[in-house]
């Protein structure tokens, strides 16, 4: 499932379309040639795996992912699940928890939308800002059932770094071993206290909005990473960029996927991180978690 010899971007999107929800064509990320170029660049930088977090109702495209794997050699791990309340299709409310779980199980065991691509992760399952709605709790319940049935790990979406601890409490209540859970978007606010508690509970945390300096500056991400390094906790941290828009691509004036390795990692190194520290977060942790 994972090529453990190289780096893994733990929370990305390669083909996503939230333009209908957001009323902005920029939110349709679908430019194949540009993304192909960027994946080739990543391969040259030592990246071997992309964990693709776009589930069915976010504009997932299995053919697009398969073409990218064939044309660039990068390994893409696809996901199954439901995103977050505001983006749910109507049937999340009407179908049973068991039926929702079975859809996830089928995408893991049989394949996605008639393709040969199978989901390797249950993601990104999310909560709203400052609350987990009843429907979101229902999806977490279904995700936990699918996890127990298939053994595949769980990766979440938090809104602006809120409710991570509550997500873990919920999953723990559904009998999930929290070492099989990674909490997403932990790096969008001063969040060290919650991060320490999440790691203490056994979960992984993602710093996966690297480069989104308009939300939260990378310098502060680096400060939080230092606090984790000082405590010997880097073995629970994964990194990524959560690219979702056309304007995030390099050719369209954005950072591009390579920013993490060509800009952020050099900043980390200058601040005192060793290459071994970087390798733990970008290679060893995701290799172990997504295996
Ligand atoms: Zn997300």
């Amino acid at each position: 499932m994972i090529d453990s010899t190289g780096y893994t971007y733990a929370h990305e999107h390669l083909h996503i379309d939230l333009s209908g929800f957001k009323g902005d064509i920029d939110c349709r990320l679908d430019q194949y040639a540009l993304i192909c170029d960027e994946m080739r660049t990543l391969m040259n930088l030592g990246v071997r795996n992309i964990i693709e977090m776009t589930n069915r109702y976010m504009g997932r495209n299995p053919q697009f992912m398969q073409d990218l794997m064939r044309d660039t050699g990068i390994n893409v791990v696809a996901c199954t699940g439901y995103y977050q309340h505001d983006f749910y299709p109507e049937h999340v409310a009407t179908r049973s928890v068991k039926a929702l779980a079975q859809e996830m199980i089928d995408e893991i065991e049989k394949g996605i939308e008639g393709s040969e691509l199978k989901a390797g992760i249950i993601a990104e399952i999310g909560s709203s800002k400052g609350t987990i709605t009843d429907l979101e709790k229902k999806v977490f319940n279904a995700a936990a059932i699918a996890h127990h049935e298939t053994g595949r790990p769980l990766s979440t979406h938090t809104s602006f770094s809120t409710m991570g601890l509550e997500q873990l409490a919920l999953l723990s209540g559904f009998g999930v071993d929290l070492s099989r859970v990674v909490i997403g978007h932990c790096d969008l606010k001063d969040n060290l206290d919650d991060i320490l508690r999440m790691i203490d509970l056994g979960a992984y945390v993602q710093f996966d909005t690297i480069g989104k300096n308009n939300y939260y500056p990378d310098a502060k991400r680096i400060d939080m990473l230092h606090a984790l390094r000082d405590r010997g906790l880097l073995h629970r941290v994964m990194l990524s960029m959560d690219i979702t828009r056309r304007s995030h691509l390099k050719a369209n004036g954005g950072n591009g996927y390579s920013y993490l390795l060509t800009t952020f990692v050099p900043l980390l190194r200058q601040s005192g991180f060793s290459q071994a520290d970087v390798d733990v977060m970008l290679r060893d942790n995701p290799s172990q978690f997504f295996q």
Side-chain angles (χ1 to χ4, degrees):
M1 195 72 74
I2 282 274
D3 178 349
S4 59
T5 65
Y7 287 156
T8 296
Y9 277 35
H11 187 121
E12 289 303 331
H13 302 274
L14 297 169
H15 188 289
I16 182 169
D17 185 4
L18 300 178
S19 62
F21 291 103
K22 301 202 177 185
D24 183 352
I25 193 65
D26 191 36
C27 298
R28 183 182 296 159
L29 181 66
D30 65 348
Q31 294 166 296
Y32 187 75
L34 298 185
I35 294 168
C36 238
D37 282 348
E38 295 218 13
M39 290 304 113
R40 291 194 179 102
T41 302
L42 287 192
M43 288 289 285
N44 288 331
L45 291 166
V47 180
R48 290 294 173 271
N49 310 285
I50 301 284
I51 312 300
E52 223 283 0
M53 306 297 290
T54 314
N55 53 49
R56 184 169 200 169
Y57 301 93
M58 302 168 79
R60 185 182 56 186
N61 184 332
Q63 189 64 50
F64 194 94
M65 291 186 259
Q66 288 175 302
D67 289 349
L68 273 174
M69 286 194 265
R70 182 197 62 215
D71 292 343
T72 72
I74 201 127
N75 177 42
V76 179
V77 178
C79 74
T80 184
Y82 290 94
Y83 177 33
Q84 188 254 340
H85 193 115
D86 296 342
F87 300 87
Y88 289 159
E90 271 183 30
H91 69 245
V92 170
T94 54
R95 285 183 198 165
S96 68
V97 169
K98 211 174 158 192
L100 295 177
Q102 191 59 48
E103 291 167 20
M104 299 181 203
I105 294 163
D106 286 346
E107 290 197 334
I108 290 165
E109 294 183 343
K110 294 179 185 163
I112 293 171
E113 293 162 48
S115 75
E116 288 179 8
L117 187 66
K118 292 178 179 175
I121 170 111
I122 301 160
E124 61 176 301
I125 55 166
S127 53
S128 300
K129 187 181 178 190
T131 186
I132 306 179
T133 69
D134 286 345
L135 278 188
E136 287 166 346
K137 287 177 183 167
K138 184 177 179 182
V139 167
F140 272 73
N141 191 357
I145 293 169
H147 163 74
H148 288 305
E149 181 76 20
T150 64
R152 296 315 302 160
L154 295 150
S155 180
T156 78
H157 161 96
T158 61
S159 294
F160 305 101
S161 304
T162 66
M163 310 308 284
L165 283 164
E166 291 81 357
Q167 289 182 353
L168 289 175
L170 193 56
L171 290 169
S172 183
F174 294 134
V176 174
D177 168 358
L178 297 183
S179 71
R180 307 299 311 285
V181 180
V182 61
I183 301 295
H185 314 321
C186 289
D187 58 337
L188 284 167
K189 66 171 187 177
D190 295 339
N191 200 25
L192 185 62
D193 289 349
D194 278 8
I195 288 171
L196 292 174
R197 287 155 75 187
M198 289 188 253
I199 292 175
D200 193 47
L201 289 168
Y204 286 78
V205 296
Q206 271 168 190
F207 282 57
D208 55 21
T209 60
I210 287 167
K212 295 191 176 177
N213 286 296
N214 51 335
Y215 285 96
Y216 190 75
D218 279 347
K220 288 191 162 197
R221 290 190 176 92
I222 290 173
D223 288 345
M224 287 199 288
L225 287 170
H226 268 282
L228 296 173
R229 181 176 181 265
D230 292 346
R231 291 166 174 81
L233 298 175
L234 291 185
H235 66 293
R236 278 298 194 258
V237 181
M238 296 186 231
L239 305 179
S240 210
M241 293 185 65
D242 195 23
I243 280 182
T244 55
R245 290 172 175 256
R246 290 179 178 179
S247 59
H248 292 156
L249 299 180
K250 200 150 198 170
N252 296 334
N255 283 332
Y257 294 89
S258 61
Y259 172 97
L260 171 47
L261 289 167
T262 58
T263 300
F264 188 77
V265 165
L267 288 173
L268 270 182
R269 294 296 311 279
Q270 284 162 26
S271 76
F273 272 61
S274 67
Q275 186 58 48
D277 293 330
V278 172
D279 291 349
V280 163
M281 294 186 287
L282 273 172
R283 186 191 60 206
D284 302 344
N285 296 342
S287 295
Q288 183 181 31
F289 184 80
F290 296 110
Q291 55 181 316

